[in-house]
Amino acid sequence: VNAYLSRTCLDFLVGFHLSPLLWRKLPGSKSAGRVQSLALRKIVEREYEIENFIPQKYWTLEGEFLNENNDVLTGSLVKWQNKKIEKFMWTEKSAEEAAKKLQLDTYSLEKVEKFTKIYRPNAPFITSTLQQAASNILHWKADYTASIAQKLYEGVELQNKTVGLITYIRTDSVKISSEAIKECRLVIKEKFGEKYLPEKSNEYKSKVRNAQEAHEAIRPVDIQLSPDKLENVINNNLLKLYSLIWKQTVASQMKSAEYLLYNAFIFSDNGTWKIHGRKLAFDGFQKLIPSSTDTENEGIFENQNITSCTKVSVMEHETKPASRYSEAGLIKFLEESGVGRPSTYARILQILDERGYVKSQQRSLSPTERGWLVVGFLINYFEEYIEVNFTANVEEKLDSVARDKMNWQDVVQSFWKSFIVNVDKVHEVKIYDSLRKIENSFEKHFFDNRECPACLKGTKELKLGKSNIFIGCSRYPECNWIQKKASEVSRSLNPESENEIIVKYGPYGAYLEWQKTKKRLHIPSVMNSQTITLEEAKKLESLPIELGKHPLSNEVVKVGIGRFGPYVQHMNNYISIRKDDIFSLTLDECINLISESSSRKKSFSKSKFTKKTSKTNK
């Protein structure tokens, strides 16, 4: 309780003091938070790293060999004239010259190294790993996963009674009860046989820093209730998530998978080649959760000699920057760093999206211009408080409070003393000065060059409008040159058409405007406003679309996008939906949403009536 009090107190102190500062110093910015701002910083810094990455070309050599069974085996060159291959040692010309020499060589199998590799099943889900798995496998957002898991936990109607299908969903423990383990072992024996059952039950230790382990891992309440028994009983998305949890729980108590791995080394006068391969020896838990990795190069296991080299290829490559964070990747980073609690990750990501600080494109998170601005401000004036080590150390102190080793008021007071001094100093900072610091922090992002193209005397500067960020000349008002950010420049999709379609940017994001009819339509985040095509625009123009008729009312069910986002329409009811990819919605999914909305309204109406009645009785 004391740890909870101190965590809540710290979050309020940060939020209620940083957010008003942002409102004054960066008008249009909405909020900052202890963990939220750290997560945003990681997204912005990764994007800056990507933007400034300079790719380098390099070359490798690959050979195709035949053995006595005419199996084709692919290997890579690891030594050239007794020198170990380095990544950037080849030029295109030298690699091609080496390939010609190698093609003429005589080859023989030098040695084969064989070994066994054991792949243990993963632990049952905790809050964060469930969100990661749902993101990677089902392509769901973290907050949507949390809402579906909550429904499974609260219960569904089965045989005229409400039955909870899974255990508590906010947990950082990977342990399950002894009764659940016994049920798992029974299911494994019945469905897969004795050979998939380990002699002893598998045990797991939490990898989360400062794990509290106050609850079990997330598992089915009744493990005998397999997903196939719930088909056509619960809706599709509930079934998908339940199936994921059920499989992970059962697989965690199955035997490990075994692979035979080998490295075969092929020798010639000029080079040494390495062929790597693996072969499945026992599938174990992968019987239930198959591996996505294919078996490769199996023929060499017989130690047959190499008869010839059929081809030597020069492969050109280019170094790539680190990829953007996905929701799953960011949650994993926060979890491994010991920042925040598992139950807060979904809400943190939701807040960043709602505040307009990040956008999700092709399941990757990238910052908006507003996000860049906020992080630039915080780095310059509150960097200490949005560092991984600082935030993780605060979490460690909070866990010490939970273990009764520290006083919660001391933790809050030590944080507050230095924090409020910093806040008071920043109150004196002028908006102009803060913008100059921000643009210097991310200069390469905001400017291609600093010279004003109009007057050639001033320099480009960041400026704030009522609802947007733009670049102007430092000599304003003498020079009125302005430029919107490249990501905010309007563009036409069909300039020769009478009803031209233009991509525009407003205070609420990107939208399409039809010039002749003046129709406007919000561009959902599932589509990239910078690369949206004419075909996609026409697809949006066709909205709302009819999916069919409701089986009870016989009225048409439609889906569309309005000023408040995607919606499902049934008669005069409009139900907001979080799913941006509305073109993939099915009639059954919409009927479920309508039903859930109707039951919520009835529940709310009933609670209001009960309150009024109780007041009247009093």
Side-chain angles (χ1 to χ4, degrees):
V1 172
N2 287 341
Y4 159 76
L5 284 172
S6 49
R7 180 175 281 106
T8 305
C9 197
L10 289 173
D11 288 340
F12 281 0
L13 288 173
V14 173
F16 285 122
H17 285 82
L18 281 190
S19 297
L21 262 183
L22 283 177
W23 303 340
R24 295 186 185 95
K25 306 303 176 185
L26 298 177
S29 304
K30 295 178 181 176
S31 71
R34 188 172 60 90
V35 181
Q36 164 200 332
S37 298
L38 171 60
L40 179 60
R41 179 183 182 176
K42 297 308 294 183
I43 294 169
V44 167
E45 288 181 340
R46 177 62 59 86
E47 191 71 18
Y48 197 56
E49 183 185 336
I50 292 168
E51 288 182 354
N52 292 287
F53 181 80
I54 300 172
Q56 283 183 276
K57 288 186 178 181
Y58 64 98
W59 289 264
T60 60
L61 287 104
E62 290 186 1
E64 290 183 2
F65 303 90
L66 289 179
N67 64 9
E68 292 170 359
N69 286 345
N70 286 327
D71 298 317
V72 178
L73 307 170
T74 304
S76 54
L77 189 70
V78 291
K79 280 187 180 180
W80 166 251
Q81 295 177 345
N82 293 322
K83 291 181 181 178
K84 187 179 177 182
I85 300 294
E86 302 291 339
K87 188 171 185 177
F88 296 104
M89 68 175 282
W90 300 110
T91 62
E92 186 175 12
K93 185 179 179 182
S94 63
E96 286 175 353
E97 288 173 355
K100 289 176 184 176
K101 289 182 180 180
L102 290 163
Q103 189 77 60
L104 301 172
D105 279 355
T106 302
Y107 293 90
S108 61
L109 184 64
E110 185 177 326
K111 64 176 179 178
V112 177
E113 298 173 344
K114 293 184 182 181
F115 49 98
T116 302
K117 188 165 184 180
I118 305 295
Y119 290 85
R120 286 195 72 201
N122 289 326
F125 286 132
I126 59 175
T127 307
S128 56
T129 54
L130 176 63
Q131 290 168 355
Q132 290 171 49
S135 176
N136 292 328
I137 298 169
L138 303 176
H139 302 165
W140 288 357
K141 285 181 170 290
D143 60 329
Y144 185 71
T145 302
S147 68
I148 296 295
Q150 183 68 28
K151 289 174 186 176
L152 289 171
Y153 169 67
E154 289 175 355
V156 297
E157 290 294 322
L158 293 179
Q159 298 176 350
N160 297 321
K161 62 179 181 179
T162 302
V163 178
L165 294 181
I166 61 173
T167 55
Y168 191 58
I169 59 172
R170 294 172 185 86
T171 177
D172 55 14
S173 172
V174 292
K175 296 176 181 177
I176 60 176
S177 68
S178 55
E179 291 81 4
I181 290 173
K182 286 177 185 176
E183 281 188 41
C184 282
R185 291 176 69 84
L186 281 172
V187 168
I188 294 165
K189 189 175 179 179
E190 289 170 6
K191 287 186 174 288
F192 307 107
E194 288 273 5
K195 67 177 183 177
Y196 289 93
L197 196 63
E199 290 182 13
K200 294 181 180 178
S201 60
N202 296 331
E203 294 184 2
Y204 299 91
K205 289 184 178 179
S206 178
K207 295 179 181 178
V208 179
R209 283 176 64 180
N210 307 316
Q212 294 176 346
E213 299 187 324
H215 305 278
E216 275 190 90
I218 302 170
R219 64 167 178 86
V221 171
D222 180 7
I223 293 165
Q224 295 284 347
L225 189 62
S226 56
D228 56 289
K229 295 176 182 177
L230 293 172
E231 287 181 7
N232 303 318
V233 177
I234 59 177
N235 79 44
N236 195 34
N237 285 347
L238 289 174
L239 183 61
K240 283 180 181 177
L241 194 63
Y242 180 80
S243 179
L244 206 63
I245 294 166
W246 186 88
K247 286 181 178 179
Q248 188 71 22
T249 306
V250 174
S252 71
Q253 291 302 318
M254 294 176 74
K255 272 189 176 179
S256 301
E258 292 182 22
Y259 282 85
L260 293 176
L261 276 69
Y262 68 87
N263 294 318
F265 293 90
I266 298 168
F267 178 77
S268 73
D269 291 339
N270 286 300
T272 302
W273 302 78
K274 180 182 176 181
I275 298 176
H276 176 74
R278 70 179 207 159
K279 185 177 183 179
L280 182 64
F282 176 65
D283 53 2
F285 74 95
Q286 291 181 358
K287 180 80 172 176
L288 181 58
I289 304 178
S291 169
S292 58
T293 308
D294 296 327
T295 306
E296 55 188 40
N297 288 342
E298 292 185 21
I300 199 75
F301 270 97
E302 306 303 324
N303 283 346
Q304 294 153 337
N305 204 9
I306 298 298
T307 57
S308 63
C309 173
T310 58
K311 186 180 181 182
V312 176
S313 303
V314 176
M315 313 296 290
E316 184 181 301
H317 309 274
E318 196 173 70
T319 55
K320 294 181 180 179
S323 57
R324 290 187 177 103
Y325 282 110
S326 62
E327 284 200 352
L330 188 60
I331 289 171
K332 186 178 181 182
F333 166 78
L334 294 173
E335 179 188 61
E336 290 177 346
S337 303
V339 174
R341 305 305 307 167
S343 58
T344 64
Y345 296 146
R347 181 60 186 151
I348 287 166
L349 292 168
Q350 188 182 359
I351 288 172
L352 291 177
D353 183 52
E354 288 173 354
R355 300 293 186 264
Y357 293 161
V358 300
K359 54 190 174 186
S360 178
Q361 295 174 352
Q362 298 176 341
R363 296 172 56 209
S364 296
L365 299 172
S366 58
T368 61
E369 294 305 322
R370 181 63 61 178
W372 282 95
L373 212 63
V374 169
V375 169
F377 178 82
L378 294 174
I379 283 176
N380 279 287
Y381 298 106
F382 294 95
E383 185 173 19
E384 176 190 350
Y385 302 98
I386 56 169
E387 284 184 341
V388 172
N389 289 338
F390 177 84
T391 312
N393 287 338
V394 169
E395 293 293 343
E396 285 182 0
K397 289 179 181 178
L398 295 175
D399 285 314
S400 295
V401 171
R403 294 192 297 269
D404 202 23
K405 291 184 177 179
M406 289 187 75
N407 182 283
W408 75 274
Q409 292 167 328
D410 292 341
V411 172
V412 174
Q413 194 173 44
S414 64
F415 172 87
W416 173 248
K417 281 181 178 178
S418 59
F419 179 70
I420 192 60
V421 170
N422 209 14
V423 169
D424 291 339
K425 284 181 182 177
V426 180
H427 270 295
E428 306 302 319
V429 174
K430 294 178 180 179
I431 294 177
Y432 178 86
D433 294 330
S434 65
L435 286 175
R436 300 295 74 78
K437 284 197 172 187
I438 291 167
E439 66 188 21
N440 289 333
S441 297
F442 299 120
E443 185 172 8
K444 290 182 181 178
H445 169 73
F446 291 116
F447 310 106
D448 48 357
N449 63 71
R450 296 301 297 265
E451 185 181 64
C452 174
C455 67
L456 303 179
K457 294 179 181 178
T459 57
K460 295 177 182 177
E461 287 184 343
L462 268 184
K463 295 183 181 291
L464 278 175
K466 287 183 179 179
S467 59
N468 64 343
I469 306 155
F470 63 94
I471 295 169
C473 180
S474 60
R475 295 181 64 246
Y476 177 85
E478 287 81 7
C479 177
N480 289 325
W481 176 85
I482 63 167
Q483 175 196 39
K484 287 189 176 182
K485 284 293 295 168
S487 60
E488 297 178 348
V489 176
S490 301
R491 64 188 181 90
S492 174
L493 296 179
N494 54 342
E496 297 177 2
S497 171
E498 184 181 348
N499 193 15
E500 185 181 4
I501 306 172
I502 296 179
V503 179
K504 291 190 172 184
Y505 296 85
Y508 304 106
Y511 64 92
L512 296 171
E513 182 177 275
W514 281 258
Q515 290 298 91
K516 186 177 180 180
T517 59
K518 295 301 176 185
K519 177 181 178 180
R520 291 180 175 182
L521 201 60
H522 167 71
I523 300 174
S525 61
V526 76
M527 293 181 179
N528 188 337
S529 60
Q530 296 177 47
T531 59
I532 189 170
T533 62
L534 182 60
E535 290 71 26
E536 288 176 320
K538 288 180 176 178
K539 200 174 179 182
L540 287 173
E541 189 181 13
S542 68
L543 295 172
I545 53 176
E546 297 182 3
L547 294 181
K549 292 187 176 182
H550 196 289
L552 298 178
S553 65
N554 205 33
E555 294 287 341
V556 173
V557 176
K558 298 179 181 179
V559 292
I561 299 176
R563 60 181 297 194
F564 301 111
Y567 65 84
V568 173
Q569 181 188 354
H570 175 237
M571 295 192 286
N572 292 325
N573 294 325
Y574 290 82
I575 301 145
S576 292
I577 52 176
R578 291 179 180 175
K579 191 173 182 181
D580 268 352
D581 190 9
I582 61 172
F583 295 104
S584 66
L585 274 173
T586 63
L587 179 61
D588 287 341
E589 286 177 314
C590 291
I591 290 169
N592 286 330
L593 289 168
I594 293 165
S595 175
E596 288 168 10
S597 174
S598 177
S599 62
R600 278 198 302 270
K601 284 180 180 178
K602 286 179 182 177
S603 173
F604 178 71
S605 174
K606 188 176 179 181
S607 64
K608 280 181 72 179
F609 176 77
T610 306
K611 286 178 183 177
K612 285 181 179 179
T613 306
S614 62
K615 284 180 181 179
T616 307
N617 290 339
K618 284 179 183 179

